């Protein structure tokens, strides 16, 4: 089945230039990017001496939407839509985090960029990018100049949808418009102590039942905390019944002392596993915890060869309303393709690679991967959750590639249940038989 059409509006190469001898050049600045119908995005912006034009090539913001959504935006906006970029001077002593950006700073001025969406749509219909703006513009209300590069680019993605809640062992469909095609089945289970084997490998040999034997808990077997959720596993099978990915809870979700919740200081954790030479091999690690009314999470890739884990996400999802687990690091790492696939390094940059830069990366691994695009939508407490997964086509060259992302989405969804307050009873599918 063909991938779904997506469009990305990519904003990068930002820099400020001030008049000579301006006192503002000694301060720091950030920008807010606003496009109607999308959450506001925030990024630092550097400044250049008046005589310099050495703009750093990197991406500061990106808005992604399906082609159908893009076409609706075109219809609503007649011909043009506006991208608004607000430039702020950070308050002295203000935080460099995004929260600090939003709460501390003085508006210096703004740039309103007209987007000719009909031209963009026509360009993407021909499967090519469209340059919207590249160069210096005046920041309204000041004599400061802002350099920016804005492009619209095709960003095809595979879309997968669970046919039920992960703990109910559902089918998973690939979706394209109104067409749905089954591609995987899921098997949720509890890992007993008899299944535990070496932390470094798990056997894939034998029948499918052995495929759910995964990494052992980091807790000692004699430790039995009063409040814990442990031993959950979900295995992804292709339509022939072969296991192609798995998610295994390797650190129990335990209530912190004197509390009814899993804390940030002691999160539960999953390993996302892929098959390789009759063994399970770790591909990624997901940590999750309860932070008031949010599910906090951290995800990192685990490359082969002893390379340090590569952090890709550290954010949160509302436990009440649900939300989207999302990674879109155009200039950062992207997962390794499977050993059996043909991975063209030059194509790994994704849709924004011409704007990207690996500058500042702390590991050589960052130079090998870039353009990670993946998201998974989950529902909040008390709602039937059928996760939907989007994966950039550059990451999927075989069945195992896609299955790893599906397993990650299942782990995110199950983490919402694992992090429920321990005063709340889990649904029967998530309780071990002797505790049901």
């Amino acid at each position: 089945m063909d991938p779904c059409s997506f469009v990305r509006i990519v904003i990068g190469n930002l820099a400020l230039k001030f008049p000579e001898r301006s006192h503002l050049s000694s301060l720091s600045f950030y920008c807010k990017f606003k496009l109607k119908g999308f959450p506001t995005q925030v990024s630092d912006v550097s400044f250049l001496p008046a005589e310099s034009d050495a703009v750093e090539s990197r991406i500061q913001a990106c808005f992604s939407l399906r082609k159908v959504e893009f076409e609706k935006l075109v219809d609503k906006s007649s011909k043009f839509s506006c991208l608004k970029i607000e430039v702020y001077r950070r308050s002295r002593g203000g935080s460099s985090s995004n929260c600090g950006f939003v709460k501390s700073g003085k508006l210096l001025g703004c740039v309103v960029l007209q987007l000719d969406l009909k031209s963009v749509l026509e360009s993407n219909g021909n499967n090519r990018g469209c340059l919207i703006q590249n160069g210096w513009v005046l920041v309204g209300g000041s004599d400061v100049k802002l350099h920016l590069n804005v492009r619209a680019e095709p960003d095809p993605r595979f879309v997968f949808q669970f046919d039920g809640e992960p703990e109910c062992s559902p089918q998973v469909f690939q979706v394209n418009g109104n067409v749905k095609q089954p591609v995987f089945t899921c098997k949720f289970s509890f890992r007993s102590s008899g299944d535990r084997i070496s932390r470094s490998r798990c056997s894939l040999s034998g029948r499918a039942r052995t495929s759910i034997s995964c990494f052992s808990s980091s807790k000692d077997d004699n430790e039995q905390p009063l409040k814990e959720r442990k031993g959950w596993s979900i295995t992804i099978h292709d339509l022939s019944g072969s296991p192609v990915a798995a998610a295994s809870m390797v650190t129990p979700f335990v209530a912190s002392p004197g509390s009814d919740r899993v804390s940030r200081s002691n999160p539960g954790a999953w390993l996302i596993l892929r098959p390789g030479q009759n063994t399970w091999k770790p591909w990624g690690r997901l940590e999750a915890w309860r932070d008031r009314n949010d599910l906090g999470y951290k995800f990192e890739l685990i490359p082969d060869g002893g390379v340090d884990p590569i952090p890709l996400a550290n954010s949160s999802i509302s436990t009440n309303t649900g939300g989207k687990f999302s990674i879109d690091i155009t200039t950062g790492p992207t997962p390794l393709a499977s050993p059996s696939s043909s991975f063209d390094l030059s194509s790994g940059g994704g849709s924004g690679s011409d704007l990207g830069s690996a500058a500042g990366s702390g590991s050589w691994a960052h130079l090998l991967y870039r353009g990670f695009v993946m998201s998974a939508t989950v529902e909040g407490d008390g709602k039937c959750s059928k996760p939907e997964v989007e994966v950039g086509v550059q990451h999927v060259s075989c069945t195992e590639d896609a299955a790893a992302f599906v397993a990650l989405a299942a782990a995110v969804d199950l983490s919402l249940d694992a992090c429920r307050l321990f005063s709340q009873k889990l649904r029967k599918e998530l309780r071990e038989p002797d505790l049901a």
Side-chain angles (χ1 to χ4, degrees):
M1 185 184 292
D2 294 332
C4 296
S5 295
F6 280 72
V7 177
R8 291 160 60 93
I9 297 176
V10 183
I11 308 155
N13 300 11
L14 293 184
L16 290 172
K17 184 177 287 189
F18 302 94
E20 292 186 20
R21 296 181 298 278
S22 172
H23 70 284
L24 294 176
S25 61
S26 62
L27 304 175
S28 60
F29 300 84
Y30 62 93
C31 289
K32 291 183 181 181
F33 309 95
K34 298 182 177 182
L35 184 63
K36 187 175 182 180
F38 293 87
T40 297
Q41 298 186 36
V42 183
S43 175
D44 265 326
V45 57
S46 60
F47 59 86
L48 298 177
E51 67 278 3
S52 173
D53 285 315
V55 177
E56 179 186 6
S57 177
R58 73 184 185 97
I59 292 173
Q60 274 88 359
C62 179
F63 297 93
S64 298
L65 60 164
R66 297 187 184 188
K67 187 175 180 181
V68 173
E69 297 170 333
F70 192 83
E71 290 171 342
K72 289 181 179 179
L73 186 60
V74 172
D75 291 338
K76 291 180 179 179
S77 63
S78 63
K79 184 179 179 181
F80 292 107
S81 186
C82 294
L83 170 67
K84 188 175 183 180
I85 304 174
E86 297 176 346
V87 181
Y88 287 82
R89 183 182 69 210
R90 186 175 293 115
S91 299
R92 294 187 183 276
S95 169
S96 61
S97 67
N98 283 5
C99 291
F101 290 163
V102 174
K103 295 181 179 179
S104 65
K106 180 178 180 180
L107 179 65
L108 186 66
C110 66
V111 174
V112 179
L113 186 64
Q114 300 291 337
L115 305 179
D116 187 347
L117 297 181
K118 290 189 176 180
S119 295
V120 170
L121 185 61
E122 181 180 345
S123 296
N124 279 275
N126 297 325
N127 198 34
R128 54 188 175 85
C130 174
L131 181 63
I132 298 172
Q133 169 69 37
N134 185 36
W136 294 95
V137 295
L138 279 174
V139 176
S142 72
D143 53 0
V144 176
K145 292 182 179 179
L146 174 70
H147 186 280
L148 73 158
N149 181 296
V150 182
R151 295 179 57 86
E153 302 172 339
D155 181 34
R157 302 183 184 185
F158 291 107
V159 179
F160 303 96
Q161 189 173 67
F162 287 69
D163 195 36
E165 297 175 311
E167 62 268 29
C168 296
S169 300
Q171 278 191 308
V172 178
F173 293 87
Q174 185 183 347
V175 180
N176 192 340
N178 295 324
V179 180
K180 297 173 64 175
Q181 175 180 316
V183 287
F184 300 116
T185 59
C186 300
K187 176 62 177 176
F188 176 82
S189 65
F190 295 94
R191 190 179 69 254
S192 67
S193 59
D195 291 327
R196 296 174 184 170
I197 56 176
S198 169
R199 174 177 290 273
S200 62
R201 288 289 186 269
C202 294
S203 174
L204 276 177
S205 60
R207 292 170 292 176
R209 66 178 178 82
T210 62
S211 70
I212 59 177
S213 298
C214 299
F215 292 73
S216 65
S217 164
S218 63
K219 301 285 185 180
D220 187 274
D221 286 350
N222 294 324
E223 293 183 22
Q224 294 294 332
L226 182 61
K227 296 179 179 181
E228 67 172 15
R229 292 161 184 156
K230 62 180 181 178
W232 299 0
S233 291
I234 189 161
T235 309
I236 312 300
H237 300 262
D238 62 20
L239 295 184
S240 71
S242 299
V244 286
S248 176
M249 186 185 287
V250 292
T251 302
F253 286 71
V254 181
S256 60
S259 173
D260 200 27
R261 70 184 66 210
V262 180
S263 69
R264 178 191 293 263
S265 61
N266 188 28
W270 300 79
L271 277 183
I272 312 303
L273 308 165
R274 295 184 55 159
Q277 299 177 344
N278 292 324
T279 63
W280 282 120
K281 299 178 66 175
W283 174 79
R285 179 180 174 89
L286 175 72
E287 294 184 349
W289 59 88
R290 180 84 177 225
D291 190 1
R292 296 183 181 177
N293 292 323
D294 290 335
L295 173 78
Y297 63 80
K298 175 184 177 182
F299 176 70
E300 57 188 16
L301 289 176
I302 305 176
D304 287 334
V307 179
D308 291 339
I310 303 170
L312 289 184
N314 191 343
S315 189
S316 63
I317 298 172
S318 170
T319 57
N320 294 325
T321 61
K324 182 174 286 190
F325 170 91
S326 183
I327 306 170
D328 193 343
I329 307 177
T330 309
T331 60
T334 188
L336 281 170
S338 64
S340 61
S341 65
S342 56
F343 180 65
D344 179 4
L345 188 62
S346 65
S347 68
S351 59
S353 60
D354 58 326
L355 292 175
S357 170
S361 299
S363 166
W364 66 268
H366 287 74
L367 301 176
L368 295 181
Y369 325 133
R370 62 171 65 176
F372 193 110
V373 178
M374 181 265 180
S375 68
T377 302
V378 296
E379 297 293 338
D381 289 344
K383 298 179 182 178
C384 179
S385 185
K386 299 180 180 180
E388 184 174 277
V389 188
E390 298 172 6
V391 186
V393 295
Q394 65 267 34
H395 310 314
V396 180
S397 56
C398 62
T399 301
E400 289 83 0
D401 292 340
F405 292 103
V406 171
L408 173 57
V412 172
D413 187 88
L414 290 167
S415 293
L416 280 169
D417 291 295
C419 287
R420 288 173 70 93
L421 299 177
F422 280 84
S423 58
Q424 299 175 344
K425 192 173 183 179
L426 297 179
R427 57 183 299 168
K428 62 180 181 179
E429 288 86 357
L430 292 168
R431 303 197 301 270
E432 293 190 66
D434 58 345
L435 299 177

